[in-house]
Amino acid sequence: MSLPGPGVPFPRESDAQAPRTPASGSATSAAPSTLTAAPAPVPGQRPAPPRPAPPGAERPGPKPRPAGIPKPGPRRPEPAAPQIAVQHLAATAAQAVERADEAVDRLLDSGRNPGAVLVLTVGEPHPWQRHELSFGEERYWAQLAEGGDVFYADAALTRPARREVVVLVVNGGTADRAAAAFAEARGRAAELLVVCGNAGPAAEAAGAPAGRPATV
């Protein structure tokens, strides 16, 4: 160890060089600062999907009834079919045509329109039917369509014919044919059926007592 020269103070222990500390703010010695990235903004919460409605909550109700259509109510009973008056004129098979002609005359005299009367025979054709057929069938059936006069035909008529008054002439044929003719004639009459002769028990039970004159 060498001694300091004259005039040089003896070094003190406190004069030992302290480690040099870099000055604050020095660009060369300052440690690079660590940059912390700012946290990304947290987006708002997404709206939750709508909760489904409980079963039956959104069930559609009954549709409104259109205006002007009444609500269904109890059905009204069908109007009863008009009752057909049935009258009987007692006569044998040989007398039936004559009694029928008398009935037609009374109907016309009372003001009944000739085109409203239909005469049907169970047995032989009426003489007036034979007379009209002598001019040909075309002319004969045209009279039925025209409806301007009394029309005479067989009780087994297959063409549509319906008139206010039907006169049934039971001038022959079997009992079964007479009964069937009565049912057919009744369906063709709109107001009155006059039966001349015996058309069977069903005809007797359907109308007035035998022998009562035909009326309007």
Side-chain angles (χ1 to χ4, degrees):
M1 177 177 177
S2 59
L3 296 176
V8 178
F10 190 86
R12 293 175 297 178
E13 186 177 353
S14 59
D15 289 340
Q17 293 184 354
R20 299 181 63 180
T21 303
S24 61
S26 174
T28 59
S29 60
S33 60
T34 302
L35 298 179
T36 303
V42 178
Q45 294 184 353
R46 297 179 62 184
R51 181 175 299 176
E58 298 182 358
R59 185 174 298 171
K63 296 182 180 179
R65 185 176 299 276
I69 301 179
K71 293 183 179 180
R75 293 186 59 183
R76 296 181 179 179
E78 295 285 342
Q83 295 293 328
I84 305 300
V86 180
Q87 296 182 349
H88 296 268
L89 298 179
T92 63
Q95 298 170 336
V97 172
E98 182 179 355
R99 297 302 301 273
D101 290 343
E102 293 173 356
V104 171
D105 289 340
R106 284 194 296 269
L107 290 166
L108 299 180
D109 291 342
S110 66
R112 184 75 67 170
N113 186 346
V117 181
L118 174 66
V119 179
L120 301 176
T121 54
V122 177
E124 293 292 326
H126 192 281
W128 271 108
Q129 180 182 357
R130 291 176 178 160
H131 174 73
E132 297 298 339
L133 280 171
S134 65
F135 298 99
E137 287 196 6
E138 183 177 354
R139 178 56 190 160
Y140 170 73
W141 293 116
Q143 289 185 352
L144 175 62
E146 294 168 359
D149 202 352
V150 179
F151 190 78
Y152 297 83
D154 189 276
L157 177 67
T158 57
R159 300 201 179 194
R162 181 176 173 83
R163 295 197 175 183
E164 295 176 5
V165 182
V166 175
V167 179
L168 179 63
V169 187
V170 187
N171 59 336
T174 64
D176 291 342
R177 173 171 163 79
F182 169 76
E184 183 71 19
R186 191 174 186 179
R188 296 182 182 276
E191 297 179 7
L192 174 65
L193 171 60
V194 181
V195 181
C196 301
N198 183 12
E204 292 292 337
R212 177 175 296 183
T215 58
V216 291

